[in-house]
Amino acid sequence: MSNPIFDKLHSRFDAAAAQGMDEVFQFNFTDTDNHYLAVKDGELDIQQGDHDDPSVTLSLSTDTLKGVMSGEINGMSAFMTGKLKATGNVMLATRLTSLFPRG
């Protein structure tokens, strides 16, 4: 199943920024199926569902994700206002903008 948000992430993925990483970003959406992004040594794998042991879990709506990735919503303010919840290695979430630069 194709999801336009994740198709866009694939095209924006910066493999150089992901060199040496081995992390899993779990996205728990309030309005669609959950997905996770596995980033390992410059490779990106996007899967539908829940990962057994994610590095960080982000709970949000697809609109919030779109806004953060487009730069219309500041990730930190989304977190502070409760639009985005994070558990696990929360600092990893700050790497998402370097892994998926606006293009």
Side-chain angles (χ1 to χ4, degrees), residues 38-56:
V39 177
K40 184 168 180 149
D41 294 327
E43 299 287 320
L44 172 65
D45 182 31
I46 298 175
Q47 296 291 329
Q48 186 173 334
D50 299 315
H51 191 273
D52 291 338
D53 187 24
S55 311
V56 62

Side-chain angles (χ1 to χ4, degrees), residues 38-91:
V39 177
K40 184 168 180 149
D41 294 327
E43 299 287 320
L44 172 65
D45 182 31
I46 298 175
Q47 296 291 329
Q48 186 173 334
D50 299 315
H51 191 273
D52 291 338
D53 187 24
S55 311
V56 62
T57 300
L58 304 168
S59 301
L60 69 169
S61 70
T62 53
D63 280 346
T64 300
L65 178 62
K66 283 183 206 163
V68 170
M69 297 313 283
S70 70
E72 291 169 27
I73 297 175
N74 177 289
M76 188 55 74
S77 65
F79 182 74
M80 300 304 261
T81 59
K83 289 183 179 170
L84 166 64
K85 294 182 176 68
T87 55
N89 185 350
V90 177
M91 292 311 294

Side-chain angles (χ1 to χ4, degrees), residues 3-4 6 14 20-22 29 37-38 50 52 66 85 91 101 103:
N3 184 315
F6 293 106
D14 182 354
M21 283 184 79
D22 186 2
F29 290 110
L37 279 57
D50 299 315
D52 291 338
K66 283 183 206 163
K85 294 182 176 68
M91 292 311 294

